[in-house]
């Protein structure tokens, strides 16, 4: 009778250990899935920020080129106005 109780006790302990091990594996799997989902979510945000930064860099370069062209054109206009002004002054002197 004592040996039977010991065997039953050992069998129950083995069942508990197996159940505990099964739950541990399930918890590890769930934690891994959660971690992967969080990392994927963060990676999407990082990728979007990177793309936005690239677009901004491109826009800044374009704006710099356009500003330089505008400055050059403005300088040409100022030169033309000054020449026109000098020509007017020369024609008005008697």
């Amino acid at each position: 009778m004592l040996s039977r109780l010991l065997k039953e006790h050992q069998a129950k302990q083995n069942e508990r250990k197996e159940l505990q091990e099964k739950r541990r594996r399930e918890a590890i799997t769930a934690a891994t899935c959660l971690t992967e989902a969080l990392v994927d979510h963060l990676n999407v945000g990082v990728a979007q920020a990177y793309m936005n930064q690239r677009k901004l860099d491109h826009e800044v370069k374009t704006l710099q080129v356009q500003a330089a062209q505008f400055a050059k054109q403005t300088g040409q206009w100022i030169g033309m106005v000054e020449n026109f002004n000098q020509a007017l002054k020369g024609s008005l002197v008697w």
Side-chain angles (χ1 to χ4, degrees), residues 31-45:
T32 301
C33 289
L34 175 64
T35 303
E36 288 175 358
L38 290 172
V39 168
D40 288 346
H41 179 70
L42 289 175
N43 282 343
V44 168

Side-chain angles (χ1 to χ4, degrees), residues 3-14:
S3 68
R4 188 186 63 147
L5 286 176
L6 179 62
K7 286 181 182 180
E8 287 176 7
H9 174 69
Q10 288 175 342
K12 286 182 182 181
Q13 276 188 327
N14 284 339

Side-chain angles (χ1 to χ4, degrees), residues 52-82:
N52 289 344
Q53 184 63 44
R54 286 187 59 194
K55 288 178 183 177
L56 285 172
D57 289 344
H58 176 72
E59 290 295 324
V60 165
K61 288 177 184 176
T62 302
L63 184 59
Q64 287 173 335
V65 168
Q66 290 175 347
Q69 289 173 343
F70 181 70
K72 181 179 176 183
Q73 189 177 25
T74 302
Q76 291 172 344
W77 289 343
I78 290 172
M80 288 172 47
V81 169
E82 287 176 354

